[in-house]
Amino acid sequence: MAATKSLSIFLLIAVTCVAGGQAANFNITNRCNYTVWAAALPGGGVRLNPNESWSLSVANGTTGGRIWGRTNCTFNSTGHGKCLTGDCDGVLVCNKTGTPPNTLVEFALNQYNNLDFYDISLVDGFNIPVQLSPTYNCSSVKCAADILGECPTQLQVPGGCNNPCTVFNTTQYCCTSGVAGCGPTDYSRFFKEKCPDAYSYPMDDATSTFTCMGGSDYRVVFCP
Ligand SMILES: *[C@@H]1O[C@H](CO)[C@@H](O)[C@H](O)[C@H]1NC(C)=O
Ligand SMILES: *[C@@H]1O[C@H](CO)[C@@H](O)[C@H](O)[C@H]1NC(C)=O
Ligand SMILES: *[C@@H]1O[C@H](CO)[C@@H](O)[C@H](O)[C@H]1NC(C)=O
Ligand SMILES: *[C@@H]1O[C@H](CO)[C@@H](O)[C@H](O)[C@H]1NC(C)=O
Ligand SMILES: *[C@@H]1O[C@H](CO)[C@@H](O)[C@H](O)[C@H]1NC(C)=O
Ligand SMILES: *[C@@H]1O[C@H](CO)[C@@H](O)[C@H](O)[C@H]1NC(C)=O
Ligand SMILES: *[C@@H]1O[C@H](CO)[C@@H](O)[C@H](O)[C@H]1NC(C)=O
Ligand SMILES: *[C@@H]1O[C@H](CO)[C@@H](O)[C@H](O)[C@H]1NC(C)=O
Ligand SMILES: *[C@@H]1O[C@H](CO)[C@@H](O)[C@H](O)[C@H]1NC(C)=O
């Protein structure tokens, strides 16, 4: 019994060390003066009262990673309920993407040449200001402008500012017919002017994608 337990503990430590040595830590902090229900894929979700943090370990090589915040949520004791923005199928611990509008932090770790790729995207609209900062000496990206206060009328929804693709679902706004015919629009220019570092439409890569040497950790701050 004791031997089995020691072995389990040994295996647990071994697994933790392998994962820990190659994982990136994301320290997610809520500096808003309201509660944010943070969500991450992979990772799940937690409630963050003002000034609370969530430390998330993300495996080496993760692609398609995203972190976002949800607002005005109510969940029961088993973590079922709903949020005004960013809701992920009515659960506290997300395993699906959030409902727009939601400001997105996106990343892929240890890709080509072991580089991390990261960005902030407004392609699913905006709900909470956010900043993403590598702990290595690489660019920090931020979208903290007053987008809710100046959101074009047609894009306004309670708690957020939608992207035109979500509202109008046209090939032009959604870039669903490829690069040709996919360019900035008056709506995307509104987002770009407010947050020059963030994706304002799906193919806005040139000014919106950032890289850092793999191995960096990251800080994510809501309401930086
Ligand atoms: C991630 O894994 C790759 C191989 O898959 C390795 O080359 C790289 O050093 C690892 N990076 C970190 C930070 O552990
Ligand atoms: C995360 O960041 C907060 C705010 O800077 C800090 O207080 C906390 O110690 C950090 N947590 C970890 C695990 O690094
Ligand atoms: C939160 O901060 C905003 C702007 O900084 C302010 O207008 C608002 O009154 C504050 N709300 C609370 C509940 O403190
Ligand atoms: C959060 O912490 C900062 C300093 O770390 C403090 O100035 C601020 O009042 C705190 N905010 C809340 C809502 O507790
Ligand atoms: C929580 O909500 C879910 C979904 O509405 C429901 O199925 C479940 O019974 C609720 N649990 C409690 C403890 O209220
Ligand atoms: C996602 O969460 C739901 C609700 O908790 C659960 O029923 C489902 O199996 C989960 N899906 C995956 C892929 O983990
Ligand atoms: C960070 O990088 C910049 C630009 O590459 C460089 O000018 C600066 O000296 C670096 N700072 C540190 C502390 O390494
Ligand atoms: C969201 O909740 C805050 C309090 O946390 C409240 O002031 C605000 O009116 C709510 N927003 C909406 C659209 O219900
Ligand atoms: C958007 O339009 C396409 C066809 O143009 C349709 O297949 C798709 O279901 C629509 N999406 C939504 C969310 O309505």
Side-chain angles (χ1 to χ4, degrees):
M1 191 63 195
T4 310
K5 197 170 178 187
S6 302
L7 182 62
S8 318
I9 290 170
F10 168 77
L11 287 174
L12 180 67
I13 290 169
V15 168
T16 307
C17 287
V18 169
Q22 302 208 319
N25 182 268
F26 282 72
N27 184 349
I28 303 161
T29 302
N30 178 19
R31 294 278 177 224
C32 303
N33 63 3
Y34 50 87
T35 300
V36 171
W37 285 261
L41 292 179
V46 300
R47 173 186 170 129
L48 293 179
N49 293 324
N51 277 349
E52 287 182 347
S53 294
W54 180 30
S55 182
L56 189 66
S57 181
V58 180
N60 183 351
T62 295
T63 57
R66 63 164 69 190
I67 294 170
W68 71 101
R70 294 166 287 172
T71 59
N72 295 58
C73 304
T74 49
F75 290 110
N76 70 14
S77 58
T78 59
H80 291 86
K82 63 177 187 325
C83 302
L84 182 65
T85 63
D87 189 55
C88 61
D89 230 16
V91 293
L92 171 62
V93 180
C94 294
N95 60 12
K96 290 194 175 138
T97 59
T99 304
N102 53 171
T103 322
L104 296 176
V105 162
E106 302 180 304
F107 55 88
L109 304 178
N110 318 96
Q111 300 301 298
Y112 174 74
N113 279 348
N114 197 31
L115 288 173
D116 290 354
F117 290 77
Y118 58 96
D119 63 73
I120 291 175
S121 173
L122 304 177
V123 168
D124 277 354
F126 176 98
N127 63 339
I128 308 178
V130 72
Q131 179 165 22
L132 172 65
S133 314
T135 55
Y136 283 7
N137 186 19
C138 306
S139 301
S140 171
V141 284
K142 179 157 88 167
C143 180
D146 182 18
I147 286 183
L148 294 186
E150 295 175 37
C151 183
T153 313
Q154 285 173 297
L155 304 182
Q156 288 176 11
V157 288
C161 184
N162 260 321
N163 186 276
C165 170
T166 304
V167 178
F168 304 109
N169 192 23
T170 63
T171 55
Q172 186 193 21
Y173 290 132
C174 302
C175 292
T176 36
S177 59
V179 183
C182 172
T185 63
D186 285 349
Y187 286 127
S188 78
R189 282 187 203 99
F190 162 78
F191 288 110
K192 202 69 188 173
E193 184 187 309
K194 296 289 171 201
C195 287
D197 293 344
Y199 271 85
S200 60
Y201 67 97
M203 294 188 186
D204 192 13
D205 304 80
T207 55
S208 318
T209 290
F210 295 83
T211 59
C212 193
M213 287 314 299
S216 183
D217 290 326
Y218 292 86
R219 278 185 53 69
V220 174
V221 176
F222 293 117
C223 302

